[in-house]
Amino acid sequence: MNRLDWNALDSLGQRAALARPAQSRAESLRSGVEQIVARVRADGDAALRELSARYDRCALDAIEVTAQELHDAESRLDPELKAAIDEAAARIEAFHRAAAPQPVAVDTASGVRVERMLRPIQRVGLYVPAGSAPLPSTALMLGVPARIAGCAEVVLCSPARADGRCDDAVLYTAKVTGVHRVFKLGGAQAIAAMAYGTESVPKCDKLFGPGNAWVTEAKLQVSADPEGAAIDMPAGPSEVLVIADEDANPAFVAADLLSQAEHGPDSQVILLSPSAALLDAVAGEVARQCAELPRADIAEQALSQSRLIAVASLAQAVEVSNRYAPEHLIVQVADPRALLSGIESAGSVFLGPWTPESVGDYCSGSNHVLPTYGYARSYSGVSVASFQKQITVQELSADGLRAIGPCTATLAAAEQLEAHRRAVVLRLAALEDAA
Amino acid sequence: MNRLDWNALDSLGQRAALARPAQSRAESLRSGVEQIVARVRADGDAALRELSARYDRCALDAIEVTAQELHDAESRLDPELKAAIDEAAARIEAFHRAAAPQPVAVDTASGVRVERMLRPIQRVGLYVPAGSAPLPSTALMLGVPARIAGCAEVVLCSPARADGRCDDAVLYTAKVTGVHRVFKLGGAQAIAAMAYGTESVPKCDKLFGPGNAWVTEAKLQVSADPEGAAIDMPAGPSEVLVIADEDANPAFVAADLLSQAEHGPDSQVILLSPSAALLDAVAGEVARQCAELPRADIAEQALSQSRLIAVASLAQAVEVSNRYAPEHLIVQVADPRALLSGIESAGSVFLGPWTPESVGDYCSGSNHVLPTYGYARSYSGVSVASFQKQITVQELSADGLRAIGPCTATLAAAEQLEAHRRAVVLRLAALEDAA
């Protein structure tokens, strides 16, 4: 990890210190994904079979997972893992229910009722990667809020292994969270299938979930097409920023930095501290703990673009963090709540020594699908609201129209929208005639 | 308007009946906008001056509107219009405040506190068109929720006329809603300036508002660039769908159809009714009222791609409406509330005879920036939430980690993320050592 002193840097140096690894949207990736999407739109299931054979090296008989396969996966599953999935699902459900949007009804004038009602997005597609390892936790983070929202058709795609089977834990999670249909599909072809539909796969209105560069590019492409599907948010590599003071336990801080660094070689981790002693101690702990990790090579690559940064104060640490807008922000200082009011941009925040970032990844109850790559400046993580539409409703009585009709007519006239004005005055005239 | 019978159509015919006018994203538009965006990024204010001279035909001394200009605009403004803007702002504020997201805090296990806090997006850019006429109502619909959210810097761009002045009503609305800075900029160059920043214009995190094809294309381009800015939603031409029964007043229905049709030649209006007599009567009223409109030529072009559709029942009307997912849905039937529970996809709904769509455009209190072009299947209209981020926060006590640490460790092991697991077990070991 590079060691930097924030206040010794000029503004270009400060910008470089917070720069993320560049995400190239290579032309080859773009055109490769365009070809896959076009093939799936043209040839449907046949294209899916061929692409799965080529990319996932598996020959699919049926693309859809059967009820029998779901049953078998559940019976094969280690009981401890099954219980952990159930436990995590319950806690995710508790928080997401509490944070779900509520309907609203207000009278903005006498006789003018304005409401907001909530409706599930009807058909949603969840993508659960299984690259270096299958991720049942992602199925939890998407399946639980989709069920709370009440989506009519929840579709999940996850790539099969070479033996043609999906991961047992992913299948069990799909079952527990009430996913309606599961397909053995991965990569850009899975995204294309859910965005446009095939003989087997239903066309979905919105797609969710992380994925590799191919999946991310495919989501971008289908979301730019009105015939395609909306997406949850733009994606980038995972990242964490830790703010720690001299009270923090260096072993805990190092473990948290490493738990992001092991995600992928393009992950980034940053530590900000006003304590030189803490920065020294964490650097030593990172080196020691990293050597013991099975994914040490991945973590080391991530660490090579990561930084330990000395700051003048905790207040400055918060400023720098806001500028970076991290996906995960860990605050290990004597009084973490004191910093909370200053935090402007972050995906999810972890306070104090007993809150490792991994609890948020799995089972504290918050969602782990979060904005990365600086998108936390303008985006929020996935929640029940991500699976809903908020529809406004208004109903005026005759008195209501008498009250606000003139204001409407004046504004319509100012905008030279005469038909807008007439839709009001014609009704007001009818009311006068009736009176 | 074309007259169709839904149940006489085959599935291709039904699809064609609900097809929207094609939105071509012409290559010339795409590359023209790319050039404008590149020029603004490279040359900043100088590019803005040159592009404004070329496209808005106005020579700008200063790009930013001065306090004196805001003052002068207010003193020139017709008092009736000023009062209407104030009145509308108050009602929009009342509804948007009531519907704003609230913070949440829950214990998902003993010692596991999970919260959601709300933070304004720091810098937001509002675009207010002034093509055929300036639109102060759009400034209201964007400025009011931005102020409620508490955005630190609210920037508004609206094109100047040839005399170098912005519209008085737009400027007054900007002042009333607390917009911090106003710039005399229109078109793709305004969007580029707010997305990337120039010497005069601050870089914004998220951009809002409707616009012509150039503005829409520019928003699409900057939102696909991680260095650019997020946007409110994809845009398309305005549209309305009316469900009416034999009780509806044909003159009211016709007036509502025309108030959408006058928006632009690419607007679309659809009437669904089980009553042939009502369809006949509305057709006659539309022809009669349209002839009297100043924008009759625009409305006639919109009507040429619009439809009167006979359906078997009100239940079928709701089904067809859900399939279309209209921006505006007007329900003029004997018992409009009875249909509400069946409505799945729409931007905003207007119930009963005394609720013309124009009240929602101006001053019922709901927002008029709504998803069009079928996007109501997955997007919602603008609200206070559009100007905020929802950030989750978790804080575990030692007991909290004891409670949920094992579940976390089991799931991390299943996903082969060893560093995630160790961040937990290392802390649990420290707790045991201390005990």
Side-chain angles (χ1 to χ4, degrees), chain A residues 80-81 84-85 87-88 91 94-95 98-99 104 106 108-109 112-117 119 121-122 132-137 205-206 226 230 251-252 255-256 258-260 262-263 289 292-295 332 336-337 340-341 343-351 353-364 366 373 375-381 388-398 401 403-404 407-408 410-412 414-420 422-424 426-427 430-431, chain B residues 80-81 84-85 87-88 91 95 98-99 104 106 108-109 112-117 119 121-122 132-137 205-206 226 230 251-252 255-256 258-259 262-263 289 292-295 332 336-337 340-341 343-351 353-364 366 373 375-381 383 388-398 401 403-404 407-408 410-412 414-420 422-424 426-427 430-431:
Chain A
E80 190 189 343
L81 179 52
I85 290 170
E87 184 188 330
R91 221 150 23 239
F95 175 70
V104 172
V106 205
T108 59
V112 179
R113 167 57 57 105
V114 188
E115 303 175 21
R116 177 185 67 192
M117 61 182 195
R119 291 290 183 270
I121 297 175
Q122 289 295 299
S132 42
L135 299 178
S137 62
D205 300 313
K206 189 172 181 181
F252 294 3
D256 291 343
L258 286 167
S259 72
Q260 275 308 301
E262 78 169 341
H263 266 299
Q289 292 184 26
E292 295 168 7
L293 290 175
R295 292 164 73 115
Q332 293 197 41
R337 288 233 164 233
L340 203 51
S341 67
I343 293 166
E344 283 164 9
S345 291
S348 196
V349 183
F350 301 79
L351 299 179
W354 309 115
T355 318
E357 188 263 1
S358 22
V359 299
D361 283 339
Y362 293 112
C363 65
S364 65
S366 67
Y373 211 70
Y375 286 113
R377 278 186 279 271
S378 48
Y379 288 85
S380 308
Q388 291 177 322
K389 297 154 300 191
Q390 307 194 346
I391 302 176
T392 48
V393 180
Q394 43 253 293
E395 183 171 26
L396 274 60
S397 66
L401 188 64
I404 75 168
C407 175
T408 307
T410 300
L411 287 164
E415 295 189 349
Q416 298 168 36
L417 292 170
E418 176 63 13
H420 283 63
R422 291 190 186 193
V424 173
L426 174 135
R427 284 168 164 94
L431 285 173
Chain B
E80 190 190 342
L81 179 51
I85 290 170
E87 183 187 332
R91 223 170 288 111
F95 175 70
V104 172
V106 204
T108 58
V112 179
R113 166 59 57 106
V114 188
E115 304 176 19
R116 178 185 67 193
M117 62 182 194
R119 290 291 182 268
I121 297 176
Q122 289 295 300
S132 43
L135 299 178
S137 62
D205 300 313
K206 188 172 181 180
F252 294 3
D256 292 342
L258 286 168
S259 72
E262 77 170 341
H263 267 299
Q289 293 185 26
E292 293 167 8
L293 290 176
R295 293 164 72 112
Q332 293 197 42
R337 288 233 163 233
L340 203 52
S341 66
I343 293 167
E344 284 164 8
S345 292
S348 195
V349 183
F350 302 79
L351 299 180
W354 308 114
T355 317
E357 188 263 6
S358 23
V359 300
D361 283 339
Y362 293 111
C363 66
S364 64
S366 67
Y373 211 69
Y375 286 112
R377 278 186 279 269
S378 48
Y379 287 86
S380 308
S383 68
Q388 291 177 321
K389 296 155 300 193
Q390 308 194 347
I391 303 176
T392 48
V393 180
Q394 43 253 294
E395 184 172 26
L396 273 59
S397 66
L401 188 64
I404 74 168
C407 174
T408 307
T410 300
L411 287 163
E415 296 188 350
Q416 296 168 36
L417 292 170
E418 177 62 11
H420 283 64
R422 291 190 185 193
V424 172
L426 173 134
R427 285 170 164 91
L431 284 172

Side-chain angles (χ1 to χ4, degrees), chain A residues 33-291:
Chain A
V33 169
E34 273 171 9
Q35 282 167 31
I36 291 175
V37 171
R39 281 236 36 211
V40 172
R41 289 189 76 171
D43 299 332
D45 285 355
L48 294 177
R49 283 202 177 78
E50 193 200 303
L51 293 163
S52 296
R54 191 188 314 165
Y55 293 111
D56 299 330
R57 291 162 205 286
C58 78
L60 296 177
D61 293 331
I63 294 169
E64 185 164 5
V65 173
T66 64
Q68 185 63 45
E69 286 177 285
L70 286 169
H71 177 82
D72 292 348
E74 179 171 358
S75 45
R76 272 192 305 265
L77 201 64
D78 170 32
E80 190 189 343
L81 179 52
K82 197 172 154 181
I85 290 170
D86 292 345
E87 184 188 330
R91 221 150 23 239
I92 295 164
E93 176 154 354
F95 175 70
H96 283 70
R97 272 199 195 282
Q102 298 302 319
V104 172
V106 205
D107 288 339
T108 59
S110 172
V112 179
R113 167 57 57 105
V114 188
E115 303 175 21
R116 177 185 67 192
M117 61 182 195
L118 302 162
R119 291 290 183 270
I121 297 175
Q122 289 295 299
R123 297 162 306 176
V124 298
L126 318 182
Y127 186 77
V128 176
S132 42
L135 299 178
S137 62
T138 298
L140 278 172
M141 294 296 171
L142 301 176
V144 171
R147 183 180 51 188
I148 296 172
C151 300
E153 185 152 37
V154 183
V155 171
L156 186 150
C157 284
S158 194
R161 292 175 308 230
D163 69 0
R165 271 172 32 190
C166 282
D167 177 65
D168 289 342
V170 169
L171 292 186
Y172 175 68
T173 306
K175 190 186 166 195
V176 175
T177 58
V179 166
H180 300 101
R181 301 179 70 180
V182 182
F183 296 90
K184 298 174 186 178
L185 293 170
Q189 59 272 26
I191 300 301
M194 293 192 284
Y196 298 101
T198 69
E199 301 91 320
S200 299
V201 184
K203 175 173 170 47
C204 297
D205 300 313
K206 189 172 181 181
L207 309 184
F208 296 80
N212 62 17
W214 291 72
V215 168
T216 298
E217 173 63 27
K219 282 176 70 185
L220 211 58
Q221 289 186 15
V222 303
S223 71
D225 177 7
E227 305 280 304
I231 62 170
D232 47 359
M233 69 186 90
S238 201
E239 63 202 18
V240 71
L241 186 146
V242 181
I243 298 175
D245 65 10
E246 66 282 2
D247 281 3
N249 181 325
F252 294 3
V253 173
D256 291 343
L257 294 172
L258 286 167
S259 72
Q260 275 308 301
E262 78 169 341
H263 266 299
D266 54 357
S267 294
Q268 193 175 54
V269 307
I270 292 179
L271 171 62
L272 305 176
S273 180
S275 161
L278 188 274
L279 290 169
D280 290 338
V282 171
E285 274 289 335
V286 165
R288 197 184 60 72
Q289 292 184 26
C290 185

Side-chain angles (χ1 to χ4, degrees), chain B residues 33-112:
Chain B
V33 168
E34 271 171 9
Q35 283 168 31
I36 290 174
V37 171
R39 282 238 35 211
V40 172
R41 290 188 76 170
D43 300 331
D45 285 355
L48 295 177
R49 283 203 177 78
E50 192 199 303
L51 293 163
S52 295
R54 193 188 313 165
Y55 294 111
D56 299 330
R57 291 161 206 285
C58 77
L60 296 178
D61 293 331
I63 294 169
E64 185 164 5
V65 173
T66 64
Q68 184 64 46
E69 285 177 286
L70 286 169
H71 176 84
D72 292 348
E74 179 172 358
S75 44
R76 271 192 305 265
L77 200 64
D78 171 32
E80 190 190 342
L81 179 51
K82 199 172 152 181
I85 290 170
D86 292 346
E87 183 187 332
R91 223 170 288 111
I92 294 164
E93 177 155 354
F95 175 70
H96 283 69
R97 273 199 194 281
Q102 298 302 317
V104 172
V106 204
D107 288 339
T108 58
S110 173
V112 179

